[in-house]
Amino acid sequence: MADADKAADGGTPHLRRGWTTGSCATAATRAAFEGLVGGHFPDPVTVTLPGGQTPAFALAITAAGDGWTRAGVVKDAGDDPDVTHGALVVATVRPAAKGAGLVFRAGPGVGTVTRPGLPLAVGEPAINPVPRAMIARTLDEARAILGGPEDIEVEISVDNGEKLAERTLNGRLGIVGGLSILGTTGIVVPFSCAAWIASIQRGIDVARASGFSHVAAATGNTSEQAVKTLHGLDDVQLIDMGDFVGGTLKYLRKAPVPRVTLALGFAKGVKLGQGLLDLHSKRGSVDLDALSAIIADLGGGADLVRTVSSANTALEALTLCRAAGIPIAEAVAERGFATAAALIAGSGMALEVALFDRSGGLLASTGFRKV
């Protein structure tokens, strides 16, 4: 979701791990609370992560005023290309009204939930459940040592968070005003796919909760904008699935919508037709021999079949076939449909596979068929 925090359940080896915004917010909260209760900001400040790890965080800022204290931590995302790497995550704590318990507030740069379907109620600050639990735990740990009020308000803010959020999917998910405070393990694993899969799932949840009966999952920006125009879709109906066709369809099987469009470029459509459900180049390449066999079945001549089998790219194969009047895009779309339909068979959803060229032109569509 939103700021690309990653769970520690995968990723590229030999790269430096980092800390989620949830971990940074927890550390900042612990330091601010100790400053409020004990008059001293621990630096570095140690917190406990969900997996039992106890990292220490250096403080970037501290401040105090009448009835409040503040501490900030600079997020280090390790070697992950995280949009929030280097951001200053700040916690301001103050006593809350008697009986209020732990109250969360969205400070500058942290968003507010405005649409249903997320694991937070509409109107709540976009501080996800695991970071909330981490903050509650660290406050309990601090109170066990120092005492202090049970009723406490924690305001989390992120410097420049509203601007950073423009580079995330928060707006599409109905999170306005800034970033989300994320993380399920507290640890950022470089290039892990877990955050992307989670973002796909939340996008589907929000579309369903918003009452939409059609979602379109696209492999890239060109196909996403093309399918949006094709069907006149709202942004909330668009799912940025990247290469994760299998992960998208598996979640839709659990959380179905009446109509689903898979929007792909030609090469990724070929891979889907080959039976691949992860379309990344590392997971498999276009099988030009198989593509040549399809062309032969469609009546392509021996010279065309031979040329396609040694083509440099799927795009070259497509260009050759179009020049020869061979409906390869339609055949590829149908094979992609068969792969996808097998994964969600019996769901009752109406599925469409649509292929687009690099300028967003529609190459082929299977139309909607119930599976």
Side-chain angles (χ1 to χ4, degrees):
M1 190 173 146
D3 68 350
D5 284 342
K6 309 296 191 293
D9 57 356
T12 304
H14 312 305
L15 293 175
R16 190 171 62 88
R17 296 186 174 195
W19 311 111
T20 65
T21 46
S23 292
C24 296
T26 300
T29 299
R30 176 66 178 262
F33 183 82
E34 291 198 24
L36 181 71
V37 174
H40 169 71
F41 294 94
D43 188 8
V45 56
T46 300
V47 296
T48 303
L49 303 185
Q53 304 92 334
T54 55
F57 295 80
L59 298 183
I61 64 163
T62 59
D66 185 14
W68 62 268
T69 49
R70 179 175 297 145
V73 170
V74 173
K75 176 173 173 175
D76 178 2
D79 289 326
D80 192 73
D82 193 315
V83 69
T84 56
H85 177 70
L88 179 63
V89 181
V90 178
T92 302
V93 301
R94 56 180 66 88
K98 185 174 178 59
L102 175 55
V103 179
F104 289 98
R105 304 290 185 199
V110 171
T112 298
V113 176
T114 66
R115 289 190 184 126
L118 295 171
L120 298 168
V122 171
E124 281 291 307
I127 304 168
N128 268 24
V130 171
R132 289 179 183 231
M134 291 169 62
I135 290 171
R137 175 177 177 173
T138 204
L139 290 175
D140 286 342
E141 291 173 347
R143 276 191 289 261
I145 299 169
L146 300 172
E150 293 286 336
D151 303 311
I152 198 81
E153 179 180 295
V154 175
E155 177 187 290
I156 304 299
S157 60
V158 179
D159 273 13
N160 201 38
E162 189 165 4
K163 190 69 176 177
L164 291 173
E166 294 175 1
R167 296 161 57 189
T168 75
L169 294 177
N170 270 15
R172 186 175 295 178
L173 295 175
I175 298 169
V176 300
L179 295 162
S180 300
I181 303 300
L182 299 175
T184 55
T185 66
I187 299 171
V188 175
V189 177
F191 302 97
S192 167
C193 67
W196 201 320
I197 295 293
S199 180
I200 290 168
Q201 294 174 353
R202 298 297 78 78
I204 293 168
D205 290 344
V206 169
R208 281 164 46 89
S210 299
F212 289 109
S213 60
H214 180 196
V215 299
T219 53
N221 184 65
T222 298
S223 54
E224 180 178 270
Q225 293 306 309
V227 77
K228 178 182 179 180
T229 300
L230 177 67
H231 290 302
L233 302 177
D234 187 275
D235 281 348
V236 178
Q237 296 172 265
L238 303 175
I239 308 299
D240 180 8
M241 71 175 173
D243 293 316
F244 303 112
V245 179
T248 302
L249 292 173
K250 288 175 184 177
Y251 192 71
L252 282 166
R253 192 170 58 196
K254 296 178 182 178
V257 296
R259 302 211 309 171
V260 176
T261 299
L262 298 181
L264 310 95
F266 180 72
K268 291 189 185 294
V270 173
K271 291 184 183 182
L272 181 62
Q274 293 169 199
L276 298 178
L277 292 171
D278 183 338
L279 305 182
H280 194 280
S281 58
K282 291 182 179 179
R283 305 293 184 265
S285 58
V286 170
D287 187 340
L288 290 172
D289 288 335
L291 197 59
S292 297
I294 296 171
I295 292 167
D297 289 342
L298 294 172
D303 288 345
L304 177 62
V305 170
R306 186 167 49 252
T307 302
V308 167
S309 67
S310 59
N312 288 326
T313 63
L315 177 61
E316 181 184 357
L318 172 64
T319 302
L320 291 167
C321 288
R322 296 180 81 179
I326 301 297
I328 188 62
E330 289 81 354
V332 166
E334 287 296 335
R335 282 162 173 77
F337 183 96
T339 298
L343 193 57
I344 55 174
S347 66
M349 290 185 286
L351 174 68
E352 174 195 40
V353 172
L355 303 183
F356 298 93
D357 63 25
R358 292 189 174 184
S359 64
L362 181 65
L363 293 171
S365 169
T366 63
F368 290 96
R369 302 202 296 270
K370 190 169 289 190
V371 296

